[in-house]
Amino acid sequence: SIVESFKNPIIRLVKGHRRLSQQIRQNQMVKLFSGNILIIIEADTIPTNINVLSELLKPLVKNSIPKLGMIVGQAVRIPPSSFFERITVYGDEIKNKIFNEWKNGENLYKSNGHAIRAFSRDFLSQLEWPKDVSEDSYAYLRLSQLSFSIVKQPKALTFVKNVSNFNDRLAQSTKFVSGRKSLKKYFPPEFVDDHFNVPRVLILKHLTNAFFQEPLLTFLYVLQVVYLRTHTFKTPRFNPLYRPYQSTKVLNAKYEK
């Protein structure tokens, strides 16, 4: 394997021969690592260049942020390859503008797993992922509950591909809705809703702006959201071994040295 090709005693490959869930595997990683910072980069993302880690860890080098719990990079969508994907990518652009403005960009939606993340040992000592939650949302809520700091590093970029067919989009939406519901088993419901519910005025503002720029794409995106909300209203409970979104697994993106 690529990892085994590096003949360095500090590099260790841990093999998992069964699919257990991301939550369980990350708990295993926490127990195995012995450093001060754990960096997690998901398998369906690619760093954009050789400087991603140095950009991500700059707040640690400066050591100027009290009770630093997590550092989060920025995911970059690769250009769409189909009209359906173009709709979802444009929708993501709208959401990104909303989330950048809400709470000055310091919110649950800006810490999703597609962005490379670094966790401090102090925070990890108080974090254990339940197997039936969305792991990135749980980490953010736990961090907020414990009053740790989070820092965004927008130059620590990773490529990610959006879903390109409706079945994957529906599965993605089902996972999100069921994951939000399951979080209320571990946090007060009002606490969860406070971190998920974006002000409607802010949503309307950015949808209006988007409509004047791209009326067709905006209309189709809103139509897609309404349909998904209707069909995921009575979603089953969260399944940690969800069906992978196969259309997101092939990234035709170029890594810059």
Side-chain angles (χ1 to χ4, degrees), residues 10-42:
I10 69 170
I11 298 176
R12 179 182 178 190
L13 173 63
V14 179
K15 294 183 178 180
H17 297 285
R18 288 191 302 131
R19 188 183 180 212
L20 296 180
S21 81
Q22 184 174 351
Q23 297 82 348
I24 290 176
R25 292 301 186 193
Q26 288 181 182
N27 286 333
Q28 291 175 344
M29 291 164 59
V30 171
K31 291 177 181 177
L32 289 170
F33 108 108
S34 57
N36 294 319
I37 283 289
L38 176 65
I39 297 173
I40 295 180
I41 178 169
E42 299 201 354

Tab-separated table of all heavy atoms in Angstrom, residues 10-42:
chain	number	residue	atom	x	y	z
A	10	ILE	N	7.853	6.154	12.489
A	10	ILE	CA	6.787	6.939	13.126
A	10	ILE	C	5.473	6.849	12.351
A	10	ILE	O	4.445	7.319	12.814
A	10	ILE	CB	7.195	8.418	13.294
A	10	ILE	CG1	7.292	9.125	11.932
A	10	ILE	CG2	8.486	8.560	14.086
A	10	ILE	CD1	7.461	10.623	12.041
A	11	ILE	N	5.522	6.239	11.159
A	11	ILE	CA	4.306	6.074	10.352
A	11	ILE	C	3.737	4.685	10.612
A	11	ILE	O	4.413	3.677	10.425
A	11	ILE	CB	4.594	6.265	8.855
A	11	ILE	CG1	5.093	7.686	8.586
A	11	ILE	CG2	3.342	5.973	8.031
A	11	ILE	CD1	5.497	7.939	7.145
A	12	ARG	N	2.500	4.645	11.035
A	12	ARG	CA	1.865	3.384	11.420
A	12	ARG	C	0.566	3.185	10.650
A	12	ARG	O	-0.257	4.094	10.573
A	12	ARG	CB	1.595	3.394	12.925
A	12	ARG	CG	0.906	2.151	13.467
A	12	ARG	CD	0.645	2.314	14.957
A	12	ARG	NE	-0.060	1.162	15.519
A	12	ARG	CZ	-0.569	1.134	16.747
A	12	ARG	NH1	-0.421	2.180	17.545
A	12	ARG	NH2	-1.204	0.065	17.184
A	13	LEU	N	0.401	2.031	10.075
A	13	LEU	CA	-0.832	1.683	9.362
A	13	LEU	C	-1.687	0.777	10.251
A	13	LEU	O	-1.226	-0.262	10.716
A	13	LEU	CB	-0.511	0.965	8.050
A	13	LEU	CG	-1.704	0.393	7.275
A	13	LEU	CD1	-2.639	1.508	6.822
A	13	LEU	CD2	-1.229	-0.440	6.096
A	14	VAL	N	-2.914	1.195	10.502
A	14	VAL	CA	-3.849	0.387	11.280
A	14	VAL	C	-4.954	-0.063	10.328
A	14	VAL	O	-5.662	0.760	9.765
A	14	VAL	CB	-4.443	1.174	12.465
A	14	VAL	CG1	-5.419	0.306	13.237
A	14	VAL	CG2	-3.337	1.700	13.374
A	15	LYS	N	-5.085	-1.370	10.160
A	15	LYS	CA	-6.051	-1.903	9.209
A	15	LYS	C	-7.343	-2.313	9.905
A	15	LYS	O	-7.311	-2.961	10.948
A	15	LYS	CB	-5.460	-3.110	8.481
A	15	LYS	CG	-4.276	-2.778	7.584
A	15	LYS	CD	-3.793	-4.011	6.837
A	15	LYS	CE	-2.638	-3.668	5.915
A	15	LYS	NZ	-2.159	-4.872	5.179
A	16	GLY	N	-8.454	-1.926	9.318
A	16	GLY	CA	-9.762	-2.381	9.778
A	16	GLY	C	-10.375	-3.242	8.694
A	16	GLY	O	-10.621	-2.751	7.584
A	17	HIS	N	-10.622	-4.493	8.980
A	17	HIS	CA	-11.069	-5.427	7.943
A	17	HIS	C	-12.586	-5.488	7.821
A	17	HIS	O	-13.104	-6.170	6.944
A	17	HIS	CB	-10.504	-6.819	8.228
A	17	HIS	CG	-9.005	-6.867	8.186
A	17	HIS	ND1	-8.285	-6.845	7.010
A	17	HIS	CD2	-8.091	-6.897	9.187
A	17	HIS	CE1	-7.006	-6.886	7.271
A	17	HIS	NE2	-6.846	-6.916	8.584
A	18	ARG	N	-13.282	-4.800	8.729
A	18	ARG	CA	-14.743	-4.761	8.657
A	18	ARG	C	-15.207	-3.317	8.715
A	18	ARG	O	-14.579	-2.466	9.346
A	18	ARG	CB	-15.375	-5.527	9.826
A	18	ARG	CG	-15.235	-7.027	9.738
A	18	ARG	CD	-16.110	-7.711	10.778
A	18	ARG	NE	-15.797	-7.277	12.132
A	18	ARG	CZ	-16.704	-6.886	13.031
A	18	ARG	NH1	-17.985	-6.831	12.696
A	18	ARG	NH2	-16.335	-6.541	14.247
A	19	ARG	N	-16.307	-3.030	8.039
A	19	ARG	CA	-16.896	-1.687	8.102
A	19	ARG	C	-17.684	-1.562	9.397
A	19	ARG	O	-18.705	-2.206	9.571
A	19	ARG	CB	-17.803	-1.459	6.889
A	19	ARG	CG	-18.288	-0.016	6.803
A	19	ARG	CD	-19.230	0.168	5.636
A	19	ARG	NE	-19.697	1.543	5.565
A	19	ARG	CZ	-20.882	1.914	5.124
A	19	ARG	NH1	-21.746	0.996	4.705
A	19	ARG	NH2	-21.233	3.176	5.088
A	20	LEU	N	-17.214	-0.725	10.314
A	20	LEU	CA	-17.851	-0.595	11.625
A	20	LEU	C	-18.602	0.717	11.812
A	20	LEU	O	-19.452	0.818	12.668
A	20	LEU	CB	-16.791	-0.719	12.734
A	20	LEU	CG	-16.081	-2.059	12.840
A	20	LEU	CD1	-15.079	-2.027	13.973
A	20	LEU	CD2	-17.082	-3.184	13.058
A	21	SER	N	-18.257	1.721	11.072
A	21	SER	CA	-18.819	3.081	11.116
A	21	SER	C	-17.700	4.069	11.404
A	21	SER	O	-16.708	3.747	12.086
A	21	SER	CB	-19.938	3.259	12.158
A	21	SER	OG	-19.415	3.457	13.462
A	22	GLN	N	-17.872	5.249	10.884
A	22	GLN	CA	-16.878	6.308	11.075
A	22	GLN	C	-16.733	6.664	12.549
A	22	GLN	O	-15.641	6.930	13.037
A	22	GLN	CB	-17.287	7.544	10.273
A	22	GLN	CG	-16.265	8.673	10.333
A	22	GLN	CD	-16.631	9.822	9.411
A	22	GLN	OE1	-17.552	9.711	8.599
A	22	GLN	NE2	-15.927	10.920	9.521
A	23	GLN	N	-17.848	6.651	13.280
A	23	GLN	CA	-17.815	7.020	14.692
A	23	GLN	C	-16.933	6.060	15.495
A	23	GLN	O	-16.088	6.488	16.300
A	23	GLN	CB	-19.242	7.037	15.258
A	23	GLN	CG	-20.160	8.058	14.627
A	23	GLN	CD	-20.773	7.592	13.312
A	23	GLN	OE1	-20.371	6.584	12.731
A	23	GLN	NE2	-21.772	8.320	12.832
A	24	ILE	N	-17.123	4.775	15.297
A	24	ILE	CA	-16.345	3.774	16.025
A	24	ILE	C	-14.870	3.862	15.643
A	24	ILE	O	-13.979	3.811	16.514
A	24	ILE	CB	-16.895	2.361	15.751
A	24	ILE	CG1	-18.267	2.195	16.411
A	24	ILE	CG2	-15.932	1.282	16.259
A	24	ILE	CD1	-18.950	0.873	16.116
A	25	ARG	N	-14.586	4.016	14.365
A	25	ARG	CA	-13.189	4.097	13.924
A	25	ARG	C	-12.495	5.338	14.483
A	25	ARG	O	-11.312	5.280	14.859
A	25	ARG	CB	-13.116	4.095	12.403
A	25	ARG	CG	-13.533	2.784	11.741
A	25	ARG	CD	-12.690	1.618	12.199
A	25	ARG	NE	-12.994	0.401	11.458
A	25	ARG	CZ	-12.599	-0.808	11.798
A	25	ARG	NH1	-11.879	-0.974	12.915
A	25	ARG	NH2	-12.907	-1.864	11.068
A	26	GLN	N	-13.210	6.443	14.555
A	26	GLN	CA	-12.587	7.652	15.104
A	26	GLN	C	-12.339	7.515	16.602
A	26	GLN	O	-11.334	8.016	17.126
A	26	GLN	CB	-13.428	8.889	14.776
A	26	GLN	CG	-13.339	9.255	13.305
A	26	GLN	CD	-14.128	10.484	12.906
A	26	GLN	OE1	-14.154	10.850	11.739
A	26	GLN	NE2	-14.766	11.154	13.836
A	27	ASN	N	-13.218	6.840	17.308
A	27	ASN	CA	-12.962	6.568	18.725
A	27	ASN	C	-11.714	5.700	18.887
A	27	ASN	O	-10.922	5.901	19.824
A	27	ASN	CB	-14.166	5.872	19.359
A	27	ASN	CG	-15.333	6.815	19.599
A	27	ASN	OD1	-15.151	8.015	19.779
A	27	ASN	ND2	-16.531	6.278	19.609
A	28	GLN	N	-11.519	4.753	17.979
A	28	GLN	CA	-10.325	3.914	18.020
A	28	GLN	C	-9.078	4.758	17.759
A	28	GLN	O	-8.038	4.560	18.408
A	28	GLN	CB	-10.428	2.793	16.991
A	28	GLN	CG	-11.493	1.747	17.320
A	28	GLN	CD	-11.658	0.715	16.225
A	28	GLN	OE1	-11.211	0.900	15.103
A	28	GLN	NE2	-12.330	-0.390	16.547
A	29	MET	N	-9.166	5.685	16.829
A	29	MET	CA	-8.043	6.573	16.525
A	29	MET	C	-7.655	7.404	17.748
A	29	MET	O	-6.473	7.579	18.050
A	29	MET	CB	-8.405	7.488	15.348
A	29	MET	CG	-8.520	6.783	14.023
A	29	MET	SD	-9.377	7.760	12.758
A	29	MET	CE	-8.355	9.208	12.672
A	30	VAL	N	-8.657	7.909	18.442
A	30	VAL	CA	-8.397	8.729	19.633
A	30	VAL	C	-7.649	7.913	20.691
A	30	VAL	O	-6.723	8.406	21.347
A	30	VAL	CB	-9.713	9.284	20.216
A	30	VAL	CG1	-9.467	9.954	21.563
A	30	VAL	CG2	-10.345	10.274	19.237
A	31	LYS	N	-8.032	6.652	20.844
A	31	LYS	CA	-7.384	5.807	21.846
A	31	LYS	C	-5.953	5.445	21.446
A	31	LYS	O	-5.087	5.248	22.303
A	31	LYS	CB	-8.205	4.524	22.055
A	31	LYS	CG	-9.541	4.773	22.737
A	31	LYS	CD	-10.348	3.491	22.862
A	31	LYS	CE	-11.696	3.759	23.531
A	31	LYS	NZ	-12.531	2.524	23.609
A	32	LEU	N	-5.687	5.382	20.150
A	32	LEU	CA	-4.366	4.981	19.671
A	32	LEU	C	-3.361	6.118	19.620
A	32	LEU	O	-2.173	5.910	19.840
A	32	LEU	CB	-4.483	4.366	18.272
A	32	LEU	CG	-5.132	2.981	18.188
A	32	LEU	CD1	-5.390	2.613	16.732
A	32	LEU	CD2	-4.243	1.933	18.837
A	33	PHE	N	-3.820	7.323	19.354
A	33	PHE	CA	-2.859	8.407	19.130
A	33	PHE	C	-2.320	8.932	20.454
A	33	PHE	O	-2.979	8.916	21.481
A	33	PHE	CB	-3.502	9.492	18.264
A	33	PHE	CG	-3.858	10.775	18.967
A	33	PHE	CD1	-3.131	11.928	18.734
A	33	PHE	CD2	-4.935	10.840	19.844
A	33	PHE	CE1	-3.473	13.109	19.359
A	33	PHE	CE2	-5.278	12.019	20.476
A	33	PHE	CZ	-4.542	13.160	20.228
A	34	SER	N	-1.066	9.402	20.412
A	34	SER	CA	-0.391	9.823	21.639
A	34	SER	C	0.152	11.249	21.554
A	34	SER	O	0.921	11.668	22.411
A	34	SER	CB	0.766	8.864	21.954
A	34	SER	OG	1.680	8.803	20.863
A	35	GLY	N	-0.228	11.976	20.520
A	35	GLY	CA	0.279	13.336	20.354
A	35	GLY	C	-0.620	14.379	20.986
A	35	GLY	O	-1.494	14.073	21.806
A	36	ASN	N	-0.411	15.616	20.597
A	36	ASN	CA	-1.212	16.724	21.115
A	36	ASN	C	-2.318	17.155	20.158
A	36	ASN	O	-3.268	17.825	20.573
A	36	ASN	CB	-0.305	17.930	21.409
A	36	ASN	CG	0.658	17.649	22.541
A	36	ASN	OD1	0.291	17.033	23.539
A	36	ASN	ND2	1.911	18.068	22.384
A	37	ILE	N	-2.177	16.789	18.894
A	37	ILE	CA	-3.156	17.184	17.874
A	37	ILE	C	-3.470	15.991	16.985
A	37	ILE	O	-2.569	15.303	16.505
A	37	ILE	CB	-2.610	18.339	17.000
A	37	ILE	CG1	-2.707	19.654	17.745
A	37	ILE	CG2	-3.385	18.460	15.705
A	37	ILE	CD1	-4.125	20.173	17.920
A	38	LEU	N	-4.752	15.738	16.777
A	38	LEU	CA	-5.195	14.687	15.863
A	38	LEU	C	-5.850	15.350	14.655
A	38	LEU	O	-6.805	16.107	14.792
A	38	LEU	CB	-6.199	13.758	16.556
A	38	LEU	CG	-6.820	12.667	15.679
A	38	LEU	CD1	-5.756	11.672	15.212
A	38	LEU	CD2	-7.936	11.934	16.421
A	39	ILE	N	-5.321	15.054	13.474
A	39	ILE	CA	-5.864	15.612	12.234
A	39	ILE	C	-6.672	14.526	11.524
A	39	ILE	O	-6.189	13.406	11.342
A	39	ILE	CB	-4.750	16.122	11.311
A	39	ILE	CG1	-4.000	17.282	11.990
A	39	ILE	CG2	-5.320	16.572	9.964
A	39	ILE	CD1	-2.778	17.747	11.229
A	40	ILE	N	-7.887	14.860	11.155
A	40	ILE	CA	-8.753	13.913	10.433
A	40	ILE	C	-9.085	14.483	9.062
A	40	ILE	O	-9.592	15.596	8.946
A	40	ILE	CB	-10.052	13.634	11.214
A	40	ILE	CG1	-9.736	12.914	12.531
A	40	ILE	CG2	-11.007	12.791	10.368
A	40	ILE	CD1	-10.961	12.600	13.381
A	41	ILE	N	-8.764	13.713	8.042
A	41	ILE	CA	-9.144	14.078	6.676
A	41	ILE	C	-9.909	12.902	6.100
A	41	ILE	O	-9.452	11.762	6.154
A	41	ILE	CB	-7.908	14.443	5.810
A	41	ILE	CG1	-8.352	14.769	4.377
A	41	ILE	CG2	-6.850	13.355	5.847
A	41	ILE	CD1	-7.265	15.387	3.531
A	42	GLU	N	-11.084	13.138	5.580
A	42	GLU	CA	-11.958	12.053	5.141
A	42	GLU	C	-11.512	11.470	3.805
A	42	GLU	O	-10.876	12.134	2.992
A	42	GLU	CB	-13.403	12.541	5.090
A	42	GLU	CG	-13.902	12.992	6.454
A	42	GLU	CD	-15.414	12.988	6.575
A	42	GLU	OE1	-16.104	12.748	5.566
A	42	GLU	OE2	-15.913	13.219	7.690
